[in-house]
Amino acid sequence: MILLFALLALSPVQAKKPKPPPDTGPFLSASFILKPDAKFDNGTGNFDGPTVARGVAVKFADDWSAGAIFDCDTLRWAAGWTGGPLKFTGVIFDGAHGPCPTLTVPPSFTSPEGPGWAKDGSFEDPREDSIKPLPRPGPLPAGWAKYRGLYVHGRRVIFKYTVGKTEILDSRDADGRSLWVGPSDVELKSRDLTVPPRATPHVVGVDLSALIKGGPGRYPDVVETKGVLGAEPGAYVVDRLTLPEKPRVPRVGGFDFFADGTRAALCTWDGDVWVVSGIDAKLESLKWRRFATGLHQPLGLRIVDDVIYAAGHDQITRLRDLDGDGEADAYENFHNDWELTTAFHVFAFDLQTDPAGNFYFAFNAPVRSGGGGFHKITKHHGTILKVSKDGATSEVYATGFRANNGIGVGPNGEVTSGDNEGSWVPKCPLHWVKPGSFNGVVDSAHGVSTAEPKPVCWMPKNVDNSGGGQVWVTSDRWGAFKGDLLHMSYGTSSLYKVLMEEVDGQRQGGVVKFPLKFTSSAMRARFHPTDGQLYVAGLRGWQSNAAREGGFDRVRYTGAPVLMPTGLKAGKAGVKITFTGEVDRAAAADPERYAVSAWNYKWTSNYGSGEFPVDGEPRKKGEAAATPWAVKSAAVSADGRTVTLELPDIRPVHQMRIQMKLPGASFEIFNTIHALGE
């Protein structure tokens, strides 16, 4: 009987089929663990075995049972394996907080940590050993060696880099390694090869120079979807640009439009870039095609001169279609000069440009599993990085961030950013980011003088529990808000109008919500170059109420009248709220139509903050910390567009809530007061 049960358990009918590996194309860019069953230390973020932080795994077998990993920092083949599939673990694969893709069998070969090629005959690692026990972070100095990118030709992946001034092409497949080493007047020495000076290329194995001009397409199929136009009443409706569902629903991390306006490119958290065409008023025939695969969690995308740039954890990748077949053949390393580790909770969020063409993105601090504190921090963690127009140089633009999922760069180069509640972040803020500024997180200050941050505003959890990016309204076809700033919430899938003023050089204000419902979260937004409407995209990871894995929506202005708060000023006698149109005078002049309350937060190393009474008096257990502020009077301006609320108790405060119930204008404003104006 026991034998019968055992046979039934192993029968083909009842056996659980193994989950197929994700379709990443012929390679996967990621951080990798080279030791099967490696143990993880949540204190340091270290594994008890070798790792590669900025790696590319090349697939030799369709089931990933054989392959090799190239280290883009040190330009070496770190390890190869055969006889067991790569274990796809980590936040984007199985949701695991801590690990990353891992070998399941001992490697068939390894190479020593450090440079893969010598300089002046030496392999001694020149990088600073600053984050022990983790491996030295970041790429080798460009004068020593520099990763330039990779090419795809069918199943073959070809790496391009320079050693000194010499160009090298490098590839591995199941048959071994191939090399093309350009002419050089000096001897070049790798860990397993010495190439003497020569006037012609040195070729080992396949001549790789013939395979870097494009190759056979891998994803020729076009997926067609039909958009859904919003029909709800009001000034703004949400149109859905329906995403493809195979091979997986795109978890959109960034997007931008091509110059013709009918096409857009979208990057996904899973590593793909899609191109969609057919963007018009009706959205009846949207055509989708995968343009690139295998990127390292790209969560920002910008199109410049109709060329796609995608910001991933490892680099900004410039994607080129060399043979015009609709797929990327060249994955160029536009810029990767930042230090990273294998920390799981670090992302390169967003990608924006300023009027001079410089690029900006947020590189987060390595949050520990569980959310409190940080793993080992490199000199770039928790910063906004500014990259030159040509990608040659970069600088730390600002410090003191935790996990700011999105930034904004305005038409005049203004930089804004949100952040995520946690250590040193009492609640989600909206920052007006100045060059060289510190923005709240002491662990990622990097030597910048620290002081309690003064963001434009704080937002309670029901408003924004995990911030997205910002976008400036550049269109005059989107209602009454041209020149204003919008803020998105990834956590609550919301879009907010920012109400902002400047008092004594300090930006302050608040947010008011647009009454809209999105397909997924609200994380990235851009205005369309021709139709002038706002497009919003997002994904569902953790800490979000997003309804779907990914979404791409259009917020379309219908032409109906807009009645929303658009300005807020805090003075010694109260607040002035300006609207986009004329309010109902009788109702707006009734102080009973308003309710105002306020409370404070505490800026500490603790995870987030509770609410504290503004008068400093302790509350009994269960008693709300929010302090009601009496509205003594309400006055309406001559043009009917500004309401002045007289508030005898008004004072600087971290969090203020203004509720109003007016005909056609029932809103809540959540704002912060750092200083009172006149």
Side-chain angles (χ1 to χ4, degrees):
M1 183 63 71
I2 295 175
L3 177 61
L4 175 60
F5 282 129
L7 290 173
L8 287 173
L10 295 173
S11 68
V13 175
Q14 293 187 344
K16 185 178 180 180
K17 293 183 179 180
K19 185 179 180 180
D23 179 6
T24 69
F27 69 90
L28 171 65
S29 302
S31 297
F32 296 95
I33 303 169
L34 307 184
K35 176 186 176 182
D37 303 317
K39 294 181 180 179
F40 175 65
D41 179 358
N42 193 35
T44 64
N46 190 39
F47 294 91
D48 65 340
T51 59
V52 174
R54 187 180 265 119
V56 178
V58 179
K59 179 170 61 177
F60 297 168
D62 288 340
D63 62 356
W64 283 96
S65 60
I69 295 171
F70 186 78
D71 186 337
C72 301
D73 278 339
T74 59
L75 306 178
R76 66 189 174 104
W77 289 96
W81 77 94
T82 185
L86 190 67
K87 182 180 180 181
F88 290 93
T89 185
V91 289
I92 67 168
F93 299 111
D94 61 4
H97 286 198
C100 47
T102 307
L103 299 189
T104 58
V105 294
S108 54
F109 75 84
T110 60
S111 64
E113 289 185 0
W117 293 79
K119 181 177 174 60
D120 300 326
S122 172
F123 288 96
E124 185 176 351
D125 198 329
R127 297 172 299 167
E128 185 178 356
D129 193 6
S130 58
I131 54 170
K132 294 178 181 179
L134 274 65
R136 302 183 188 204
L140 295 171
W144 183 313
K146 180 68 177 177
Y147 176 65
R148 303 294 177 181
L150 64 82
Y151 298 91
V152 177
H153 187 94
R155 295 177 62 95
R156 183 175 288 276
V157 178
I158 303 164
F159 296 93
K160 179 180 179 180
Y161 52 89
T162 50
V163 175
K165 297 180 180 179
T166 304
E167 182 177 299
I168 295 177
L169 301 175
D170 196 342
S171 180
R172 278 186 183 270
D173 61 12
D175 296 324
R177 186 180 184 185
S178 295
L179 275 167
W180 182 95
V181 183
S184 176
D185 56 4
V186 298
E187 179 182 85
L188 299 178
K189 184 178 181 181
S190 74
R191 296 281 184 176
D192 53 7
L193 177 73
T194 299
V195 183
R198 72 233 154 268
T200 59
H202 178 82
V203 178
V204 177
V206 176
D207 184 358
L208 300 174
S209 66
L211 304 178
I212 59 172
K213 300 176 183 178
R218 293 173 288 118
Y219 302 104
D221 294 339
V222 175
V223 180
E224 186 169 354
T225 67
K226 184 177 181 179
V228 179
L229 299 184
E232 58 270 24
Y236 295 96
V237 296
V238 176
D239 302 328
R240 188 173 78 188
L241 285 77
T242 308
L243 297 171
E245 294 188 357
K246 293 182 179 180
R248 52 187 171 232
V249 174
R251 295 190 284 182
V252 185
F255 74 96
D256 201 359
F257 298 101
F258 292 95
D260 61 18
T262 66
R263 297 178 301 137
L266 300 86
C267 64
T268 77
W269 194 20
D270 299 284
D272 298 335
V273 172
W274 288 80
V275 172
V276 56
S277 60
I279 300 175
D280 57 18
K282 295 183 179 180
L283 306 177
E284 289 183 336
S285 181
L286 299 171
K287 294 181 171 61
W288 300 83
R289 186 169 175 192
R290 288 173 89 185
F291 181 75
T293 57
L295 300 178
H296 192 169
Q297 300 183 37
L299 292 169
L301 186 145
R302 191 81 169 101
I303 295 176
V304 179
D305 296 330
D306 269 5
V307 176
I308 299 170
Y309 296 74
H313 181 63
D314 57 343
Q315 66 182 36
I316 299 176
T317 304
R318 180 166 54 194
L319 297 162
R320 296 194 187 276
D321 176 5
L322 301 177
D323 54 10
D325 67 352
E327 293 184 23
D329 310 289
Y331 294 67
E332 299 173 355
N333 171 27
F334 180 71
H335 190 83
N336 74 344
D337 290 340
W338 63 86
E339 295 181 348
L340 55 81
T341 66
T342 56
F344 84 98
H345 199 309
V346 175
F347 307 98
F349 279 128
D350 218 334
L351 189 61
Q352 304 290 347
T353 55
D354 66 16
N358 301 300
F359 292 80
Y360 298 77
F361 68 96
F363 187 59
N364 297 162
V367 177
R368 286 194 183 120
S369 180
F374 303 95
H375 296 313
K376 290 280 188 173
I377 289 180
T378 73
K379 64 183 180 182
H380 295 114
H381 280 138
T383 69
I384 291 177
L385 290 171
K386 177 182 178 180
V387 180
S388 61
K389 182 179 180 179
D390 61 2
T393 61
S394 63
E395 62 182 274
V396 172
Y397 183 83
T399 70
F401 297 98
R402 181 179 181 270
N404 45 335
N405 178 4
I407 60 174
V409 177
N412 300 309
E414 310 93 331
V415 178
T416 58
S417 177
D419 209 342
N420 179 242
E421 178 188 0
S423 301
W424 296 109
V425 187
K427 287 289 184 288
C428 286
L430 171 60
H431 292 289
W432 184 270
V433 184
K434 297 180 179 180
S437 63
F438 166 73
N439 293 271
V441 177
V442 173
D443 298 72
S444 59
H446 300 296
V448 176
S449 179
T450 62
E452 183 171 346
K454 292 184 177 181
V456 173
C457 66
W458 299 102
M459 291 167 278
K461 280 188 174 182
N462 63 313
V463 174
D464 188 5
N465 68 317
S466 187
Q470 299 81 46
V471 63
W472 291 83
V473 183
T474 56
S475 171
D476 57 7
R477 301 179 60 186
W478 200 72
F481 300 110
K482 186 175 182 180
D484 290 347
L485 180 65
L486 308 178
H487 171 73
M488 287 161 286
S489 171
Y490 158 80
T492 64
S493 306
S494 304
L495 176 70
Y496 293 97
K497 165 72 174 68
V498 179
L499 315 174
M500 188 161 46
E501 65 170 333
E502 186 172 339
V503 179
D504 297 332
Q506 172 66 51
R507 297 271 177 167
Q508 65 183 26
V511 296
V512 61
K513 183 178 179 180
F514 284 86
L516 303 169
K517 185 176 182 180
F518 295 103
T519 302
S520 187
S521 68
M523 208 166 78
R524 306 284 178 262
R526 297 195 189 277
F527 279 90
H528 194 277
T530 56
D531 72 21
Q533 303 306 300
L534 179 68
Y535 289 68
V536 176
L539 60 85
R540 181 174 65 194
W542 68 91
Q543 202 171 328
S544 175
N545 67 357
R548 292 176 58 87
E549 291 295 299
F552 188 29
D553 297 323
R554 176 172 64 196
V555 182
R556 174 167 48 89
Y557 176 52
T558 65
V562 182
L563 186 58
M564 270 183 73
T566 190
L568 178 68
K569 291 186 176 182
K572 296 175 182 178
V575 296
K576 291 184 178 181
I577 306 169
T578 300
F579 293 80
T580 56
E582 187 174 347
V583 297
D584 183 300
R585 290 174 179 272
D590 180 2
E592 297 298 320
R593 295 270 186 164
Y594 307 91
V596 178
S597 58
W599 59 94
N600 282 325
Y601 302 121
K602 287 186 178 181
W603 177 63
T604 71
S605 61
N606 295 335
Y607 190 106
S609 171
E611 297 177 358
F612 297 90
V614 296
D615 57 15
E617 294 296 325
R619 298 292 194 262
K620 296 179 181 179
K621 186 176 181 179
E623 190 176 358
T627 303
W629 282 354
V631 181
K632 186 175 180 180
S633 67
V636 183
S637 62
D639 64 1
R641 298 181 60 170
T642 299
V643 176
T644 300
L645 301 182
E646 185 181 1
L647 305 172
D649 297 320
I650 194 168
R651 69 189 71 178
V653 67
H654 288 141
Q655 195 71 76
M656 182 175 177
R657 179 189 188 191
I658 305 171
Q659 298 170 278
M660 62 190 75
K661 293 184 179 181
L662 305 177
S666 293
F667 292 100
E668 288 184 307
I669 296 172
F670 291 88
N671 64 295
T672 297
I673 301 174
H674 297 299
L676 296 172
E678 296 302 323

